[in-house]
Amino acid sequence: MIAQQLVNGIVTGSVYALFALGFTLIFGTFKILNLAHAGVFMSGAFIGYFAVLNGLPLWLALVLAMIGSGLISYIVELGAFATIRGSGQIEFGALISSIGANLCLMSLGQRLSNTKVLRFPFETFPVEFYEFGPVRFSFLQVIILLVVVVLLMAMMFYLYKTSFGRQIRAVSGNERVASLLGVNPGLVYFQTFFISGALAGVAGIMIGLSFNSIHFYMGEPYLLKAFVVVVLGGLGSVHGAVVAGMLLGIFQNLAVAYLPSALTETIIYGLLFVVLLVKPSGLFGSEGVQVGVARR
Amino acid sequence: MRGISKLRGLLLAGAVLGSFPVAAAEYTIASVKALTGPLAFVGVPEANAVKMAVDELNASNYLGAGNSIKLVSNDDQNDRAQITTLLTRAAKVDNALIVLGGANSVLMIAVAPLLNDLQIPMISTAQTAAPLAASKWYLKVTASSELQVAPLAQYAIDKIKPQRLAAIWGRDNDGHINNMKAFMGPLAAKGFKPIAEETILISDTDFGALSTKIAAAKPDAVWLGANAAQAANLVIQLKQAGVSSNVVLFGTAGLGVDYLKVGGKAVENTYFSIDYNDQSTNPMNVRFAQNYQKRFNTPPDNWAAVGYSETMIAARAIKDSMPNPTREKVLDAIMKMKGADVVLGGGKWTQKADRIPEYGPAVMVVRNNKPVPAQ
Amino acid sequence: MMNLVYTYQPLFDYFLLAVGFAYSQQMVLRAGVFSIGSAGFASIGAYFVAIVVKDHGMNAIVALLIATLLGCVGGFLLSIPLARLRGVFQAIATLAFVQIVVSLCLYFDELTGGPQGFNNIPKLVGTWHLLAAVLVTIYFMYVISRSAIGRAFDALRQDETVGATLGISIRKYHMIAFVLSGALAGFFGGMQSLYTFSIEPEMFGFTFLVAALTYIILGGRGTVTGPIIGALIMSVLPELARPLADNRQFFQGILMMVMIAFMPHGVFDGLVLHLRKRRAAARDKLFKEAH
Amino acid sequence: MASLVLSNVSKRFGGLLAVSDVNMEVPPGKITGLIGPNGAGKTTVVNMITGLLKLTTGSIKLGDRDISEAEAHEVAFAGVSRTFQNIRLLPEATVLENVVIGFHVHVRSSLFAQLVGLPSSVRETPKLFERGRQLLERFGMSRYADHPAGGLAYGHQRRVEMMRAVATDPKILLLDEPVAGMNDVEATELGDVFKELAASGIGLLLIEHNIRFVNQLCEQVYVLDSGAMIASGTPQEVMHNPAVVAAYLGTKK
């Protein structure tokens, strides 16, 4: 059974990673805790759902969900963050305005779904299983893992092998200097938020497919998990988020299997607390951690 | 003091309706439900059905020519401060005769003592019987699910005799916990001990790990302590993880229509008691389903049926306490009510001495995605 | 007319509770500690008071005092490991603390009643008690803000290094902030217990913490009036939005974004800053005209 | 009054030796200069003195007291105060409030008195504000008392920072490039203030790369280059030291 639980853990963990990645990207670059990420995630699932409902093939629905939630994420940036940038209050202000943006998105989701739990039609995805010894894979699990890996590689390439990564770092360091160096900050904001949103959108549709449940409140539990993932991985660290997402997925599955399930959250948040105290920069965090004044 | 305000309310109503015959009066029903927030999926269909029921009753001059029911419908966002404010307003400003309340039993328990202060009856579908103990002004429209579970447990003992029973329930919801106890208790007493006991959260959607664990235990029966859509997903994931397709499933009245819709083929062989049966051929049910579909462009679910039935009971209570209905009279009328027309269960709603109503729910089983009476 | 006033009495009561929790949240934020642990202390205070008053017949005032003390001790204990962390890291660590308290309250259901909550708590607190409690709190907040502690908090919030080089012990003042914040949360948690008949674990979870944070950021972090304004806005907003029915949440969301966009320091603090700048400019003008 | 004495102080960041083996004395009642090109390690020395950085080796003493490991606030209580190279005011506070926070080390009322509002604390606050006003008067800044500090002109911000440091009533005052960005008139004005402060018994350490300014004011000058003390003495001695000319002035061209 442990092998099976590992497989389950890796698949759910990869979706956590996808969700947390967009979250940590925004935090790492702009120091914003974007609580509206939950709403963007939900939007992705909703767009995918309505696309499939209108007869589009699943792959097209996935693409639409990516683009759509990417754009929504950018709209959140325009409405919630661009307005307070430069006021010196972004750390706190962004919390409130992103809560506001999240309320708006959830309200829209509630209207669109008529408050109901939505689900993809039964034949959207072939239910097939492969058995390797004691381990069962579903076709869906394979596809999820594949999509996540491809997206992660694409993103790593974009971040580390193109000039975009440098531009992001320049803008996050000092927007004015960056624009003097010929970097267009507006474009960087657009790309960062778009990518973050697109990743959340894919995560949304994946969750919607695998757990058969699309709901205007679906984002909140994932948001809480994203906190765990980004701290474990190191706030702002991209590969940290990936590894920590997987670890959380595996840990959760093993905890359900071998520990009293009622204590799962206590254990997970206890772990989070301990990691923060012992190594606040997380497993891979290279970002400067804010610590107190003391001789060092 | 209250008498005076009541009188003033009537005078006010009379003044507003000055051009109508003197006998004409408006009787207010307040609906306080979660129309936004996490429980909106319950509150909105309930409130929709309430609105529809009031319109239908007024169109048919249910309270007699010229008399009408006035509906004041508000959103409490499943929030304590708001529900408290709205109940107070219903009692003191709107002079409502009765309140149709929400489905969150914890909140209902919390506000029930307030009903004592306000002296206003409230009827709703809290998942447990607990609020009844807190106030005589609180009434339940649905039978408490613990009680509906009892015949199901008996049925399991007599007919199914599960040897490898697994139980799964929402640990952060008191309704699910109580139902599980009501089901597993009698079985355990007869020697049917569970081989697995697992808990989930009501916000959970991912049951991969749990399903794998349950599948490894090879159960022949599973108790589902979850809401409709969640239970259906749970079943789908259980079967995908390798739980036998012949497994017998048990659940509560909460499952209803959504469970069948979401679960599809996977939920065959589920035994449960049912509040609202969308296959019912009862003429009132048929008319309700048609009108609801026409008006809201979606078929009614369990919650809509509950909302509709609440309104029918409230209206009937007002009618029974004519002329000059008061809150006490309305409460009395419901306490004595027998055979009220509703769209729940068998269609006739009767209050019992312990304030837990009866409307003829039976043990049903899912065959070909339809609930049929279990033999 | 009187009836209309009555209707809003519960709203007013909850507003008063909100002010209490808002001050607990403000206390830490004012000192530059990004702790969102108030929810956890409120939970501890609320459960303690509920259990000892209902099950053991303890005197309510004694129970409230002990709840306050528990909040102090809790705040002190939490301040020790958190002394190293700052900013978002502190926020997330305290979020974890809150989640742990919630899940433990769910787990020890024999003591706490689990998800069904702890019910039938005697209602010993009414509007006047709450009002008195809030007025006393306002007095303390005012006194503290005018004292050296308040000035030290303000300095640490704005620039910790500067504060330290002027002789302010960061560890000590952060600890004071934690202890005071815990005390307020524990006390008002207990008050809430004795006001609302029943409590349940999720009342003091993520939603609570977001609400407490919203009061402060919306109202202002640096003034005594700020939290009152913030709590007022968040209490009245849902009522104002009521006619919008289904669109309530959307409207609330938009309004939060707009307010923060125009008043990034919070509505009240923003106003104070604005007035200060205007007065300074006016005085400059006078000075220039005079010379 | 006590001198501030650094003996064999070094600081290593990772593999980099930022400051090596510095020996220095700041006597009371005098203005001592610490000069050196950018990146010489001057600010690192100040940060070690004020409790923001750990010493890798060596010790720092204020009179008889070893403050090598004292925390920043303890250093302040011991009587060492400073200004920052890149001005650090409390931006939301007014000028007066910025100065009053400097009186923190003089607060006499107990924590308890402050918490519950006993008269000892309530009466102390207006007294401190009055002292703050007097200090503003002394520095010619009275008319800015209620201005938000963040909105002041650069030169005025420098003055506010200095007043705040003076408010702690220090034995030793460390001024990190106090006249940077000022014109000669302003600098001379400020120089007079420094002399006045020294005359009142405070030991001043002037950290600068404006040599001319330092030479006008200091009796003793230390020169730091690449973390090492390359010269010390009177301004005349230092100016004629070939090492200084080569390392310091050489790089200036």
Side-chain angles (χ1 to χ4, degrees), chain C residues 46-74:
Chain C
Y47 272 99
F48 173 79
V49 168
I51 292 168
V52 296
V53 170
K54 187 189 160 207
D55 290 353
H56 304 283
M58 188 187 276
N59 177 291
I61 294 174
V62 177
L64 282 169
L65 285 178
I66 301 179
T68 312
L69 207 66
L70 277 179
C72 286
V73 174

Side-chain angles (χ1 to χ4, degrees), chain D residues 179-194:
Chain D
V179 294
M182 288 189 183
N183 61 37
D184 280 358
V185 181
E186 288 172 319
T188 315
E189 240 177 77
L190 215 52
D192 293 339
V193 175
F194 295 159

Side-chain angles (χ1 to χ4, degrees), chain A residues 8 12 110 115 136 212 265, chain B residues 35 41 171 206 212 240:
Chain A
N8 294 341
T12 37
Q110 174 178 347
T115 74
R136 273 165 73 96
N212 206 18
E265 295 105 74
Chain B
L35 306 183
F41 76 98
R171 66 171 170 275
D206 173 6
T212 303
Q240 284 177 356

Side-chain angles (χ1 to χ4, degrees), chain A residues 89 293-296, chain D residues 48 53 67-68 70:
Chain A
Q89 297 295 311
V293 172
R295 282 191 190 265
R296 69 189 88 253
Chain D
M48 281 192 284
L53 289 174
I67 54 166
S68 316

